[in-house]
Amino acid sequence: MNFYEQLVAEMNELKENGLFVTIRTLESAQGAWFEVDGKKVLNLCSNNYLGFANNERMKKAAIEAIEKYGVGPGAVRSIAGTMDIHTQLEKELAAFKKTEATLVVQSGFNANQAVIPAITTKDDAILSDELNHASIIDGVRLSKAKKYVWKHKDVKDLEEKLKEAKEAGARRLLIITDGVFSMDGDLAPLPEIVEVAEKYDAIVMVDDAHGEGVLGESGRGIVDHFHLHGRVHIEVGTLSKAFGVVGGFVAGKKELIDYLKQKARPFLFSSSLSPAEAGAALEAVRILVESGEVVERLWDNAKYFKEKLNALGFDTWHSETPITPVMLYDAKVAKEFSLKLFEEGIFAQSIGYPTVPKGLARIRVMISAAHTKEDLDFAVEKFEKIGKELNIIK
Ligand code: PMP
């Protein structure tokens, strides 16, 4: 087999196992409903939690930013790519997050690549929850520190590993956890993690990609949700989900942010956010500072949908947030369920290995404040129909 034949053989294997990802194409803006592959469908799989991806105020702010600053940043942040719209965003984001400072980078993925290798050396230890997001795993791979993976949400296991790392002579102990686990929708036990971290003088870093704009007062995130301000050293966030744009950030003390500006490679070696992105994200922050009403609507919708699905007999796993996994376990069944949903007018992707462990395939439903109760009723009706057809529910 030549190189290309090898690639095709591997993809065929994915297809046989129900793990080949069907990439659909949108022909309209994000919203409760959108055009996908020529069909108007209900959107149940975007991270557009608050409906901000097509928000009028934010679109206007993006257009104004383009008119003032043009379409491209022209350089990396550390050369000629820092515009006052970036620094204003960082300032208002820090006030929103109740931290001293923030650093904005191109994506949440890049934010993890920015922080983790910059603050750890071979003399340090990183302790990571086994279900942490791929961008954390890759960030950890970029570090020379010794790696310890602790069992999902198991703070006792974390403490064992902290002891082990301390005894091995680690200089710095860096604990990293997702805030909201992106596939299961459950929350990190952050208060317990902080307690054990303080006992071992460890640094706590939380990736709150799915908590930003969702948890806490007006969507200030998981640290605000648990009232842990000042006790979590590093918050990583994204502007690509609830904030409706694209981008990522790190929030923390001024010394940390100043240091990252000198050391973080995505900041130093990749161009900054475009003016339109920065302008739109700034407006998103301002909307949330004004009112948390849209966040309340999101939670109300999530509760409504989950209760109806559970009443039908669907298993929504450990979800505590608007991320609603509908467990089907078998990857082929999950794929078939997703294709049937699409035929019925609903776009909800099936998720299988390696995004989730083998045997835990699912449809991952993402609820949005943009959905109406009628939209959610329509979804429930279709889940019931297909669930019965496929013998998932009675
Ligand atoms: N961290 C977590 C926990 C995520 O779920 C995601 C998005 N899948 C990211 C980071 C990456 O964010 P972005 O899309 O802004 O790169």
Side-chain angles (χ1 to χ4, degrees), residues 7 12 54 61 77 100 109 123 135 137 151 173 183 220 227 240 245 272 316 318:
L7 300 185
N12 284 341
N54 197 27
R77 289 284 302 271
E100 283 181 14
F109 200 103
D123 300 325
S135 56
I137 296 171
K151 288 194 203 106
L173 302 168
M183 291 299 136
R220 284 176 167 79
H227 309 292
S240 326
V245 196
S272 33
T316 55
H318 312 300

Side-chain angles (χ1 to χ4, degrees), residues 28-35 40-43 345 371-372 375 378:
S28 67
Q30 287 285 346
W33 290 82
F34 55 3
E35 299 268 331
K40 190 172 175 207
V41 286
L42 180 68
N43 178 1
H371 291 128
T372 63
D375 294 336
F378 173 77

Side-chain angles (χ1 to χ4, degrees), residues 47 106-112 131-136 178-183 207-210 236-241 245-249 323 364:
N47 298 314
Q106 308 83 358
S107 68
F109 200 103
N110 271 9
N112 281 321
L131 292 191
N132 275 345
H133 188 256
S135 56
I136 295 177
D178 273 17
V180 177
F181 288 86
S182 58
M183 291 299 136
D207 175 347
D208 204 20
H210 288 275
V236 161
T238 180
L239 303 171
S240 326
K241 301 185 192 296
V245 196
V246 72
F249 65 90
I323 298 173
R364 176 173 167 259

Side-chain angles (χ1 to χ4, degrees), residues 351-370:
I351 312 266
Y353 179 80
T355 309
V356 293
K358 280 184 181 149
L360 292 181
R362 65 199 65 185
I363 302 280
R364 176 173 167 259
V365 174
M366 301 297 283
I367 298 297
S368 169

